[in-house]
Amino acid sequence: MTEQHDRAGSAERAGAPGTGAPGATPDTRVVTVDVDRTDPRYRAWLKEAVRKVQADANRSADTHLLRFPLPEAWGVDLYLKDESTHPTGSLKHRLARSLFLYGLCNGWIRPGKPVIEASSGSTAVSEAYFAKLIGVPFIAVMPRTTSHEKCRLIEFHGGRCHFVDDSRTLYAESARLAAESGGHYMDQFTYAERATDWRGNNNIAESMFQQLRSERHPEPAWIVATAGTGGTSATIARYVHYMQYDTLICVPDPENSCFFDGWTRGDATASADRGSRIEGIGRPRMEPSFVPGAVDRMMKVPDAASVAAVRTLERVIGRKAGGSTGTGLWSALRIVAEMVADGRQGSVVTLLCDPGDRYLDKYYSDTWLAGQGLDIDPYTITLDRFLETGVWPA
């Protein structure tokens, strides 16, 4: 229980002035109602919890900026910011750390009370890690179709998986569990864009530009960032604008997601009637953390193209990645093709969001592709021809 001391001064005391007795002198005293909820034990716990989360950032080295091999003569460089090297293996490690600091410093996360999150997997893995770090329970509310490996990782970090059959019910179910348990619904889709310091403080955008300083094109022409919450694209775009760079921001969107439609139509009420097959990105509603006005360009990328791109990535650099990486890579290579066709030199940056070993039963499974009715061959041929000739097939 929170220790609470309520102090109240009142003029209505027996025999005191101001009681309304005949001939009484009017009460001119200043009355203060004072409620003091000081809790030294909670503040000591909070201080230690914040220290632990901040210490994790100090122990984690910056993530690598990988170069995707392109012919030197093209004059265009393509980089992938490899977020899979975080302790929990994905881009969402940065977000989870920021969300925990935000929740702790706002007084929302309390000792012994669970943290609940609506997630398609990777954010939940990272949040389970931080919940265990500070010693609070964690519950991940996820679609039943979430990959088995992500579920295993959540449980490995001490979290519990709570499944729903309809991804559109994630939000309401998370709020319900928080209300019933007295815990905190983290709500990444609302708070992602505000929990991160977009002006700097070692956010992903500042890290990119520092790593590009010695490259031949240090200020990228484009940064390509997919959107799940929308927080990463918002952070990158705001930082670019704040630093007065000329870099443009492209956000690719998968099938079964409303971000592209909402952005193109200027419709904040846009929605999709089913969940995305590309885990981690695409949403059935326009999330509060998605900032349309900060985005210069969007692409609607077929899911088969995303899968073809991650398989091409493995052939080219020997690294497996998740489907969201493929969505971004497909769009980044299209932009590179435009630059080559126009004779423009420069650099393009996209993200390697998480490792492919979380999706061996999905994007690397021909059986799964067949069950989903996805034919990646035309997209694979497009990528192979482009990388060989520098021409994007019409």
Side-chain angles (χ1 to χ4, degrees):
M1 289 290 292
T2 299
E3 194 174 306
Q4 179 176 326
H5 307 284
D6 290 0
R7 306 184 184 93
S10 173
E12 303 300 322
R13 297 188 181 93
T19 60
T25 303
D27 189 351
T28 59
R29 291 177 301 171
V30 175
V31 178
T32 299
V33 177
D34 183 352
V35 179
D36 184 347
R37 291 178 174 167
T38 302
D39 186 342
R41 288 179 296 178
Y42 162 68
R43 288 298 295 271
W45 177 89
L46 174 62
K47 184 176 181 179
E48 179 64 5
V50 171
R51 183 197 67 76
K52 288 177 178 177
V53 176
Q54 290 180 335
D56 174 83
N58 294 332
R59 290 193 303 271
S60 303
D62 200 2
T63 59
H64 306 304
L65 194 64
L66 307 179
R67 189 169 180 176
F68 188 96
L70 298 174
E72 189 79 12
W74 289 5
V76 181
D77 299 324
L78 175 59
Y79 302 91
L80 292 100
K81 181 70 166 161
D82 184 7
E83 295 292 285
S84 71
T85 57
H86 283 295
T88 53
S90 83
L91 167 70
K92 300 301 185 180
H93 193 85
R94 293 180 190 267
L95 172 60
R97 182 192 297 127
S98 295
L99 287 169
F100 264 82
L101 287 174
Y102 194 68
L104 285 165
C105 293
N106 283 337
W108 296 341
I109 300 174
R110 295 279 170 159
K113 298 295 185 180
V115 169
I116 294 97
E117 183 63 284
S119 172
S120 61
S122 287
T123 302
V125 173
S126 299
E127 289 187 4
Y129 168 91
F130 283 105
K132 183 178 182 180
L133 187 68
I134 66 172
V136 296
F138 179 76
I139 303 171
V141 182
M142 303 184 300
R144 197 171 298 279
T145 56
T146 302
S147 73
H148 297 305
E149 179 62 12
K150 284 183 178 178
C151 298
R152 185 192 70 80
L153 289 169
I154 291 166
E155 292 170 352
F156 172 79
H157 291 300
R160 178 165 68 85
C161 300
H162 181 93
F163 298 107
V164 297
D165 293 313
D166 184 347
S167 62
R168 291 171 295 181
T169 66
L170 285 173
Y171 319 96
E173 184 66 4
S174 299
R176 183 188 69 80
L177 288 174
E180 288 183 357
S181 65
H184 170 55
Y185 172 25
M186 192 72 90
D187 195 2
Q188 59 168 320
F189 299 106
T190 295
Y191 296 108
E193 56 87 14
R194 66 190 74 173
T196 301
D197 184 357
W198 50 267
R199 296 173 185 83
N201 193 23
N202 194 34
N203 66 38
I204 189 171
E206 183 180 49
S207 173
M208 284 179 183
F209 280 90
Q210 287 180 347
Q211 290 174 316
L212 286 166
R213 282 182 301 179
S214 298
E215 302 298 317
R216 62 173 177 170
H217 304 298
E219 185 176 327
W222 287 90
I223 295 176
V224 179
T226 51
T229 62
T232 298
S233 60
T235 296
I236 293 171
R238 286 165 168 169
Y239 181 81
V240 163
H241 302 157
Y242 181 70
M243 296 300 292
Q244 304 166 58
Y245 292 130
D246 293 324
T247 302
L248 300 172
I249 309 302
C250 175
V251 175
D253 203 32
E255 296 176 27
N256 304 325
S257 174
C258 69
F259 286 144
F260 180 84
D261 291 338
W263 183 80
T264 53
R265 300 198 306 254
D267 181 6
T269 66
S271 62
D273 61 0
R274 68 192 68 183
S276 170
R277 285 181 294 202
I278 306 301
E279 288 191 23
I281 62 172
R283 301 300 304 164
R285 71 175 191 182
M286 295 290 282
E287 301 294 352
S289 282
F290 180 64
V291 184
V295 176
D296 298 291
R297 178 178 184 176
M298 290 195 70
M299 294 187 194
K300 194 69 173 178
V301 178
D303 291 349
S306 299
V307 177
V310 290
R311 293 191 177 194
T312 297
L313 179 69
E314 183 184 17
R315 290 197 302 272
V316 172
I317 71 170
R319 293 283 300 276
K320 282 186 170 69
S324 59
T325 299
T327 309
L329 180 59
W330 175 269
S331 301
L333 287 170
R334 277 183 56 91
I335 291 173
V336 169
E338 293 172 358
M339 295 174 67
V340 172
D342 294 341
R344 290 182 286 130
Q345 298 191 349
S347 58
V348 178
V349 183
T350 187
L351 305 175
L352 199 165
C353 303
D354 61 357
D357 57 8
R358 297 180 177 183
Y359 310 98
L360 296 179
D361 58 345
K362 285 193 171 185
Y363 313 126
Y364 294 91
S365 167
D366 292 339
T367 301
W368 183 84
L369 288 177
Q372 295 293 316
L374 295 175
D375 180 8
I376 69 172
D377 288 345
Y379 301 98
T380 301
I381 291 170
T382 294
L383 292 172
D384 289 346
R385 287 179 179 171
F386 167 65
L387 295 174
E388 180 180 349
T389 67
V391 177
W392 193 272

